[in-house]
Amino acid sequence: ICAGKMPAPPYSAFAQALHERWQTGEAAQAIRREEDLHSCAEMGAAALHFTIPDAIYRTSGKHLYDSDETLFGSLHPDEAPLVEALAGELAQRIPPGARLVCPLALGSHVDHQLVRRAAERLGMRLGYYADYPYVLKHAPALKELWRQGWRSRAYPVSEAGLGAWQRAVAAHASQISSFWGSLGEMQAAIWDFCRASRGVRLW
């Protein structure tokens, strides 16, 4: 969803620090779109990139998300029209009879919140997935869903499917260092999560 082209600089100090961590420089969005294409290919999935820029590039007179606190805080009030616009675009693009799955927004990343709010505007019956790897630090939120009466279903993942999942994550090379110390650590973490969840669980 948030794969749009980066606006012209200047970028916030926060965005520049992320570019340095990702080792992408100012080609960050182009590189991440290319990574996404490779990731989807590993999963046998078609890719569709929307035009909304990543949160760290969005502005409203100033950079809206210029720190970890704002990136994982509340969606900025100035983005209410963006939610409606995205809902309208999704409504036009989703084929009749399609099943839509969207993030629970565990961890409160504002881009995940944006997508969930837009999806919920559509009036469709939705499936929700636990945002990985953020769910690893927010597992109590899943227990709260149970308490609120939510139900989930586990979809088994084959050995081949698990390998595709691990390769698909590895394709996002610029993002690995944000969550894991190495590819081996990432692969082991996904194996553990898949085993604990008995596959992929939708709510």
Side-chain angles (χ1 to χ4, degrees):
I1 296 294
C2 299
K5 292 182 179 180
M6 295 164 58
Y11 304 117
S12 69
F14 180 59
Q16 293 178 59
L18 290 176
H19 294 167
E20 185 174 346
R21 181 202 296 172
W22 299 339
Q23 299 181 9
T24 60
E26 294 184 3
Q29 284 299 88
I31 289 172
R32 293 186 66 183
R33 283 196 298 271
E34 193 65 25
E35 289 174 345
D36 189 60
L37 292 174
H38 290 302
S39 180
C40 288
E42 290 288 355
M43 298 297 292
L48 176 63
H49 292 155
F50 285 63
T51 58
I52 299 171
D54 193 287
I56 61 174
Y57 308 119
R58 299 201 295 271
T59 61
S60 180
K62 64 175 184 177
H63 295 286
L64 296 178
Y65 308 105
D66 59 0
S67 65
D68 275 330
E69 290 73 23
T70 53
L71 189 63
F72 295 96
S74 299
L75 197 64
H76 196 282
D78 287 355
E79 299 216 285
L82 185 59
V83 174
E84 298 300 330
L86 176 56
E89 188 169 2
L90 288 171
Q92 292 180 347
R93 290 180 176 271
I94 296 171
R99 296 183 63 191
L100 188 63
V101 178
C102 81
L104 282 165
L106 299 180
S108 298
H109 191 296
V110 292
D111 285 341
H112 296 221
Q113 294 181 58
L114 169 69
V115 174
R116 177 173 175 174
R117 289 192 190 184
E120 290 177 338
R121 293 285 197 282
L122 301 177
M124 297 176 61
R125 182 178 177 84
L126 302 174
Y128 293 83
Y129 64 89
D131 317 53
Y132 188 86
Y134 299 116
V135 64
L136 300 180
K137 293 184 178 180
H138 298 276
L142 296 183
K143 294 182 180 179
E144 179 64 17
L145 292 181
W146 282 111
R147 193 190 67 79
Q148 294 174 4
W150 287 57
R151 295 292 179 264
S152 68
R153 176 182 174 184
Y155 294 81
V157 176
S158 67
E159 184 176 345
L162 178 60
W165 184 356
Q166 293 166 325
R167 292 192 302 275
V169 173
H172 295 274
S174 68
Q175 303 302 294
I176 297 298
S177 64
S178 294
F179 303 102
W180 301 283
S182 67
L183 287 177
E185 183 181 328
M186 173 274 290
Q187 292 166 343
I190 290 179
W191 188 90
D192 288 341
F193 178 74
C194 188
R195 181 184 58 175
S197 301
R198 299 180 182 177
V200 172
R201 189 169 293 274
L202 296 183
W203 297 79

